PDB file of all heavy atoms in Angstrom:
ATOM      1  N   THR A  70     127.193 111.530 153.958  1.00 96.00           N
ATOM      2  CA  THR A  70     126.102 112.500 154.163  1.00 96.00           C
ATOM      3  C   THR A  70     126.649 113.929 154.103  1.00 96.00           C
ATOM      4  O   THR A  70     126.015 114.827 153.538  1.00 96.00           O
ATOM      5  CB  THR A  70     125.392 112.237 155.523  1.00 96.00           C
ATOM      6  OG1 THR A  70     124.791 110.949 155.457  1.00 96.00           O
ATOM      7  CG2 THR A  70     124.330 113.260 155.810  1.00 96.00           C
ATOM      8  N   GLU A 117     118.786 111.074 154.607  1.00 90.00           N
ATOM      9  CA  GLU A 117     118.993 109.858 155.354  1.00 90.00           C
ATOM     10  C   GLU A 117     117.802 109.649 156.331  1.00 90.00           C
ATOM     11  O   GLU A 117     117.311 110.596 156.905  1.00 90.00           O
ATOM     12  CB  GLU A 117     120.270 110.081 156.201  1.00 90.00           C
ATOM     13  CG  GLU A 117     120.955 108.892 156.663  1.00 90.00           C
ATOM     14  CD  GLU A 117     122.339 109.297 157.233  1.00 90.00           C
ATOM     15  OE1 GLU A 117     122.568 110.486 157.578  1.00 90.00           O
ATOM     16  OE2 GLU A 117     123.192 108.425 157.310  1.00 90.00           O
ATOM     17  N   ASP A 192     120.220 109.479 149.953  1.00 97.00           N
ATOM     18  CA  ASP A 192     121.112 109.109 151.069  1.00 97.00           C
ATOM     19  C   ASP A 192     120.643 107.803 151.737  1.00 97.00           C
ATOM     20  O   ASP A 192     119.683 107.828 152.496  1.00 97.00           O
ATOM     21  CB  ASP A 192     121.175 110.253 152.080  1.00 97.00           C
ATOM     22  CG  ASP A 192     122.388 110.122 153.034  1.00 97.00           C
ATOM     23  OD1 ASP A 192     123.026 109.054 153.025  1.00 97.00           O
ATOM     24  OD2 ASP A 192     122.679 111.087 153.748  1.00 97.00           O
ATOM     25  N   GLU A 193     121.307 106.734 151.402  1.00 96.00           N
ATOM     26  CA  GLU A 193     121.043 105.400 151.948  1.00 96.00           C
ATOM     27  C   GLU A 193     119.555 105.017 151.913  1.00 96.00           C
ATOM     28  O   GLU A 193     118.931 104.757 152.924  1.00 96.00           O
ATOM     29  CB  GLU A 193     121.553 105.315 153.380  1.00 96.00           C
ATOM     30  CG  GLU A 193     123.048 105.561 153.438  1.00 96.00           C
ATOM     31  CD  GLU A 193     123.732 104.904 154.632  1.00 96.00           C
ATOM     32  OE1 GLU A 193     123.324 103.807 154.975  1.00 96.00           O
ATOM     33  OE2 GLU A 193     124.655 105.532 155.192  1.00 96.00           O
TER      34      GLU A 193
HETATM   35 MG1   MG B   9     125.164 109.263 156.370  1.00 51.76          MG
END
Side-chain angles (χ1 to χ4, degrees):
T70 297
E117 202 169 19
D192 198 348
E193 300 205 38

